[in-house]
C-alpha cells in the first residue's frame, strides 16, 4: 500500500423509501479538518489526468456509479517510492472513503455507463496554485476499456 493512502470502508443503511450512505466524521482516521466539500463527475471511460495536491488532503467518496482512482508515489523519501495502486469505488461494489495525503499523484476514470459522481471532503480551500498537473502519458498506466 502507498504510504499516505488509507481506504476506509463506509457504512450503508438500506431502507424502504431511501438509503443512507455515511461519508466522514470528525473523529475518523484521515480527517484533519473541514474547509470545503465538492463533487466531481466523470463520463464513462473518460480519464481525468494526473494531478498532485501539495497541501490538500483528499477524502474521496464515490456516491454514484463506479470510479477507478490510480495513485502514484514519486516522493523520493517515501517507503512506497515509485509505487502505483488503483482503487475501484462505488456505492454498490466497494463503498469506501479513499484518503490521499498531499504529495501523491492521482488520476481517475469513470467506469459506469450511468453518472459517475465523487465527493471530496477537503481540509483546505481549493487553491489552483497548490496543484501540479500533468498529462496522462506522464505516468505509464494501462487504463481500463471496461
Amino acid at each position: 500500500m502507498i504510504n499516505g493512502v488509507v481506504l476506509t470502508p463506509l457504512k450503508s443503511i438500506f431502507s424502504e423509501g431511501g438509503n443512507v450512505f455515511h461519508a466522514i466524521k470528525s473523529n475518523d482516521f484521515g480527517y484533519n479538518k473541514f474547509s470545503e466539500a465538492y463533487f466531481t463527475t466523470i463520463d464513462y471511460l473518460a480519464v481525468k489526468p494526473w494531478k498532485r495536491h501539495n497541501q490538500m488532503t483528499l477524502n474521496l467518496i464515490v456516491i454514484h456509479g463506479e470510479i477507478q482512482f490510480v495513485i502514484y508515489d514519486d516522493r523520493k523519501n517515501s517507503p512506497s517510492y515509485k509505487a502505483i495502486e488503483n482503487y475501484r469505488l462505488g456505492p454498490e461494489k466497494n463503498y469506501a472513503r479513499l484518503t490521499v495525503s498531499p504529495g501523491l499523484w492521482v488520476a481517475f476514470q469513470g467506469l459506469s455507463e450511468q453518472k459517475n459522481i465523487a465527493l471530496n471532503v477537503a481540509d483546505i480551500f481549493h487553491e489552483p496554485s497548490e496543484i501540479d498537473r500533468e498529462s496522462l502519458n506522464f505516468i505509464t498506466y494501462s487504463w481500463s476499456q471496461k
Side-chain angles (χ1 to χ4, degrees):
M1 185 163 229
I2 292 179
N3 186 39
V5 176
V6 178
L7 186 66
T8 306
L10 296 174
K11 188 174 182 181
S12 304
I13 302 169
F14 299 96
S15 65
E16 286 185 43
N19 304 319
V20 174
F21 295 93
H22 285 246
I24 194 166
K25 298 175 187 170
S26 63
N27 63 348
D28 283 347
F29 181 80
Y31 177 85
N32 182 18
K33 66 179 182 174
F34 170 78
S35 289
E36 178 177 62
Y38 60 86
F39 295 95
T40 186
T41 64
I42 186 161
D43 295 334
Y44 177 59
L45 296 183
V47 180
K48 289 197 178 182
W50 298 103
K51 70 178 171 178
R52 173 177 60 195
H53 287 274
N54 294 297
Q55 298 170 7
M56 180 187 287
T57 299
L58 307 173
N59 283 288
L60 301 163
I61 303 130
V62 177
I63 62 162
H64 199 274
E66 184 179 14
I67 299 175
Q68 173 182 223
F69 294 93
V70 179
I71 301 171
Y72 176 69
D73 186 358
D74 72 345
R75 302 168 298 171
K76 290 191 170 109
N77 295 328
S78 171
S80 55
Y81 178 59
K82 293 198 174 185
I84 192 164
E85 290 190 357
N86 73 66
Y87 302 85
R88 289 178 172 221
L89 304 180
E92 294 181 19
K93 292 185 180 176
N94 185 22
Y95 188 61
R97 180 179 60 254
L98 184 63
T99 302
V100 182
S101 296
L104 296 168
W105 289 96
V106 179
F108 55 99
Q109 179 180 38
L111 297 179
S112 175
E113 292 183 34
Q114 54 186 300
K115 285 192 181 295
N116 297 288
I117 304 171
L119 166 66
N120 180 28
V121 180
D123 62 344
I124 66 168
F125 293 109
H126 183 267
E127 175 56 55
S129 65
E130 68 89 31
I131 304 168
D132 298 321
R133 298 175 191 274
E134 292 290 346
S135 67
L136 273 182
N137 62 8
F138 172 68
I139 297 165
T140 302
Y141 185 78
S142 180
W143 292 95
S144 172
Q145 297 303 310
K146 198 67 172 154

